[in-house]
Amino acid sequence: MAQIPQKVIHKYLRHEKKFPHVWCPGCSNGIVLGTVIRAIEDLKYERDNIAMVSGIGCSSRMPVYVDFNTLHSLHGRAIAYATGIKMYKPHMKVMVITGDGDSTAIGGNHFIHAARRNIDITVIVINNYIYGMTGGQFSPTTPTGDKATTSPYGNIDSTFDICKLAIGAGATFVARTTAYHAIEAKKYIEKAFEHKGFSVVDIISACPVIYGRLNKKGTPAQMMIDMRDNSLPIAQYEKLSEEEKKFKYPRGIFVQENKPEYTEKYAELVKMFQKPEEQGK
Amino acid sequence: MAKNKIKETSSKKQEMVLMQGNEAIALGALAAGVDFFAGYPITPSTEIAEILSEELPKKGGKFIQMEDEIASISAIIGASLAGAKAMTATSGPGFSLMQEGIGFAKMAEVPCVVVNVMRGGPSTGLPTSPSQSDIMQARWGNHGDTPAIVLYPNSVLESYELTIRAFNLAEKYRTCVVLLSDEVLGHMREAVVLPDLEKVKIINRIKPTIPPEWYKHYKNNPKYISPLASYGEGYRFHVTGLAHDERGFPTNRADEIETLMERLKNKILHHIDDLVQIESYMMEDATRAIFAAGISSRAAKEAVNILRKAGRRVGMLRPLTIWPFPDDAVRKYLFDMKTIIVAELNQGQLSRELKRVMGGVWNYSKQKKRKIVELQKNNGEIITPEEIVNLFREVR
Ligand SMILES: Cc1ncc(C[n+]2csc(CCOP(=O)(O)OP(=O)(O)O)c2C)c(N)n1
Ligand code: SF4
C-alpha cells in the first residue's frame, strides 16, 4: 500500500478536535486555511506565539481547527479582541480571520480604527460577497445587482472595495488576491505577517453553495476559473479602459509602507517612566 | 480633570485624603493590580479612564481608548485571555452597548471588571444626574440565562474597596464582574484613609500546572471553576462564545451543553455565602426597616438616625452585593418587619426583588400583613432623609 504522505497542514490541525469541519464542499475557506498554514510553516513561527482571532461567520470558524492560541469572538468584533491581545502581549503574532460582512459591515468601525492606529495585526478577509453563515443575505461587498436572499430583485446597494477602505483608513500593508491564486495568496500572507503595522489581505473567495447558486455562477470549479479570468495584476489592470475595468478587478500589493506601529509607540511612552537601568528590559 | 495628585501608595502611614468616588475606583483598580484598561469616554464615568490613562503607563500597564464601548469590552476580554487584569468603565448607554460582550465573558469565563456609573435613562437620559436604573440591566442585560456578580458601594472608601473585591471575584470565579456606582457617588468627594496596600488581599486567577496536552479549561470540578491559562504561554487553547465542551470546542450535544450551563449557574449560586455582602444598621430591635443601596442608602441611614432620636425602632438593610440577590439575608432581617420602605432611584427594581423574596405582603408566620412601601424617584434628584422620615410618619 502506498504510504499516506504527511501533509504540512496536519502538523497544525488540532488532534483533539472533532472533524469533519463545517464548510461546504467547494468552499474557498479550506484553501485559505491551507494557505495560512503553509505561510506560517515557511516563516517558522512558534505556534505558542500565534494568536488567531475571528468573528462570526463561515470563515470565522477557522480558528477552532488550528493548533494556535485561538479565539472565536463575536460577530464583527474580532479586530477589537485582537487589539486587546496585541496590546497586552506585543511579542505575539496576532492575526484575524474574518468575512466581508464580519469585517466591513458590523465590524467596519473596528476595521478602520485599527487601521488608523496602525496596530500590528494581520487581517485576512475571506471575501465571498455574501453572508454565508446566515444563509446568503447580501453583504457590503455583494456586487450591485446581484441576488441574495434579502435582495431577491437584485441588490441596490453600492459596494465596498475593502482594499480602498483599508488604504483610506491608514493600513500600511494592503493586498488583494483570490482563492484561485493560492501561491500568490501565500506570498502576500507571508508579507503581511512580516509587515510591522496593520496589514490587510483581501482574498476574493467562492461561496458556491449560496452566492454561486443564487447568481448562477456554475460549479465551484467554474467559480475558480472566473477568479483566474476576472482578476488582473495591478499594472495590467491599470492599462485597461474604464469600460474594460468594469468587468475586472486588480490583484497585487496596493500599499506597503513603514509607519510607527501602535504598540511600539506605546512602549516608547512607557519608557519615559522607566529608570534608565530598567530600559531595554 | 480636577483631582488630587496620586500619592505613592507604599508609604508607611496612610494619610487622610480628599477623594472622589471615581478616583477611588481608579485607585482601587490599581491596588488590585489592573494592568489593562480599554474604554470610551462617557459622563459620569470618564474620570476613571482619565486617571488610568495617566497612571497605567507609569507602571508599564496598558491603556487604550477604543472607538466605542463594544470595542472596549472586546479589547479587555482579549487582553484578559492574554493574562491581563482588565477593566473598562462606562455609564448607561455604553453599558447597553457592552451587553453582548459581557455575555461572552460570562460564557467563555474570562475574568474582567466592568464599572457602570449609573446616570438617568432611558436613552441619553440625564448624563449628569444620578439614577439606580441599571440594577436590572446589570443582571439581565445580556441575552441568554446565566447569573451575574454585581457589587454596589455607597461611599468613596467603599468604592475603593469594592473595586478591589470586583477584581478578586472576577479572577476567582472566572467571570465578568460589574461594579455599579452612580453619578453622585462617582463625583462626590469624601475624606478617606485608604487601607495599607500591604494588607489588601489580592486574588489572582488559578493557572494550570498540568502539561498542555491534558489541559481542559472548562472541566467541571467540585468548585465548578477550572484553571485558566494565558495566551502565549504554551497552552494553545480555544475560546468561543458558542456552547462548548470541556476543551472549548463547539458542541451541540445536550449532555455537554447541560454540563456547561449548570456549571455556569452553580459556580455562582453555590458560592452565595462568599459572594453576598450586606450591611444591617440598627436592625437588632427594629420593627420597621428601610431597604436601599448605593447613594439612596446614605439617606436611609440618616433617616434611621433621625427616627431613632424620636424613639422609633427603625433599621436599615443595605445590599453591597446586588447580584446574586441576598435572598436569605433579606428574609432573615426583613421578614418580620411591620413596614419596609424601599428607597431607590428607579421605578421599583429593588422592591420587585424584595417582594419576590418576601412572597408578597402576607407574613404567614405572624399571620399578619406587612406594609411594603415604595419610595421611588426618577427625575435626576436624589432621595433625601427627610423624605424617608416623612413617609414613615405617614405610613407608620
Ligand atoms: C450581533 C450579531 N448579528 C448577527 C449575527 C448573525 N450572523 C452570523 S454570521 C453573519 C454573517 C457572516 O457573513 P460574513 O462575515 O461575510 O462571513 P461568511 O459566513 O460569509 O464567511 C451574521 C449576520 C450574529 N451572529 N451576531
Ligand atoms: S455557505 Fe458558502 S461560505 Fe459558508 S461554508 Fe458553505 S460555501 Fe462556504
Side-chain angles (χ1 to χ4, degrees), chain A residues 56-59 75 99-102 106 128 130-134, chain B residues 100:
Chain A
I56 300 290
C58 297
S59 38
H75 192 30
D100 38 297
D102 197 60
I106 192 166
N128 59 9
I130 202 90
Y131 288 167
M133 177 119 273
T134 40
Chain B
E100 193 191 9

Side-chain angles (χ1 to χ4, degrees), chain A residues 22-29 57-59 126 128 130-136 206-211:
Chain A
V22 296
W23 297 320
C24 311
C27 178
S28 294
N29 288 341
C58 297
S59 38
I126 304 186
N128 59 9
I130 202 90
Y131 288 167
M133 177 119 273
T134 40
C207 165
V209 171
I210 299 180
Y211 174 77

Side-chain angles (χ1 to χ4, degrees), chain B residues 100-155:
Chain B
E100 193 191 9
I102 290 173
F104 184 95
K106 289 181 190 166
M107 182 64 151
E109 297 178 79
V110 186
C112 58
V113 173
V114 173
V115 178
N116 173 12
V117 186
M118 291 183 282
R119 65 190 229 182
S123 189
T124 313
L126 290 159
T128 53
S129 302
S131 97
Q132 301 181 307
S133 49
D134 297 342
I135 289 199
M136 283 296 173
Q137 189 184 194
R139 171 65 185 88
W140 303 104
N142 62 271
H143 65 280
D145 216 350
T146 177
I149 303 177
V150 180
L151 314 178
Y152 190 5
N154 83 343
S155 71

Side-chain angles (χ1 to χ4, degrees), chain A residues 36-238:
Chain A
V36 169
I37 281 176
R38 281 188 284 274
I40 287 168
E41 164 80 4
D42 282 6
L43 289 169
K44 300 194 168 55
Y45 286 163
E46 273 290 326
R47 259 179 288 189
D48 283 342
N49 208 31
I50 298 174
M52 187 191 272
V53 186
S54 69
I56 300 290
C58 297
S59 38
S60 291
R61 281 298 189 103
M62 189 181 295
V64 71
Y65 304 116
V66 287
D67 190 13
F68 305 128
N69 302 279
T70 53
L71 173 53
H72 178 217
S73 73
L74 288 173
H75 192 30
R77 316 299 167 205
I79 295 173
Y81 280 80
T83 298
I85 299 173
K86 184 69 191 180
M87 258 309 259
Y88 194 69
K89 288 210 164 131
H91 63 272
M92 286 187 81
K93 275 276 154 204
V94 181
M95 65 190 71
V96 167
I97 306 288
T98 175
D100 38 297
D102 197 60
S103 60
T104 65
I106 192 166
N109 204 23
H110 312 308
F111 185 84
I112 58 175
H113 287 280
R116 173 176 64 81
R117 289 183 197 109
N118 194 32
I119 187 163
D120 186 15
I121 293 171
T122 295
V123 177
I124 296 169
V125 186
I126 304 186
N127 184 353
N128 59 9
Y129 303 152
I130 202 90
Y131 288 167
M133 177 119 273
T134 40
Q137 302 74 31
F138 65 87
S139 87
T141 63
T142 307
T144 308
D146 275 8
K147 293 220 165 112
T149 58
T150 45
S151 61
Y153 311 113
N155 171 26
I156 60 168
D157 283 32
S158 301
T159 57
F160 263 149
D161 178 325
I162 292 182
C163 290
K164 283 188 184 160
L165 180 67
I167 295 163
T172 48
F173 180 95
V174 180
R176 178 185 293 123
T177 180
T178 83
Y180 171 83
H181 299 89
I183 300 196
E184 182 184 87
K186 173 173 165 273
K187 196 173 79 191
Y188 293 167
I189 290 172
E190 281 178 13
K191 282 185 193 291
F193 284 165
E194 288 289 272
H195 176 77
K196 190 117 210 96
F198 191 73
S199 53
V200 176
V201 185
D202 177 19
I203 305 183
I204 305 299
S205 301
C207 165
V209 171
I210 299 180
Y211 174 77
R213 192 168 42 82
L214 287 171
N215 291 288
K216 306 205 168 28
K217 297 288 179 190
T219 61
Q222 183 57 47
M223 291 183 81
M224 299 290 276
I225 292 168
D226 289 348
M227 288 178 205
R228 181 192 69 190
D229 295 346
N230 295 343
S231 65
L232 285 175
I234 297 171
Q236 284 182 37
Y237 175 84
E238 290 305 333

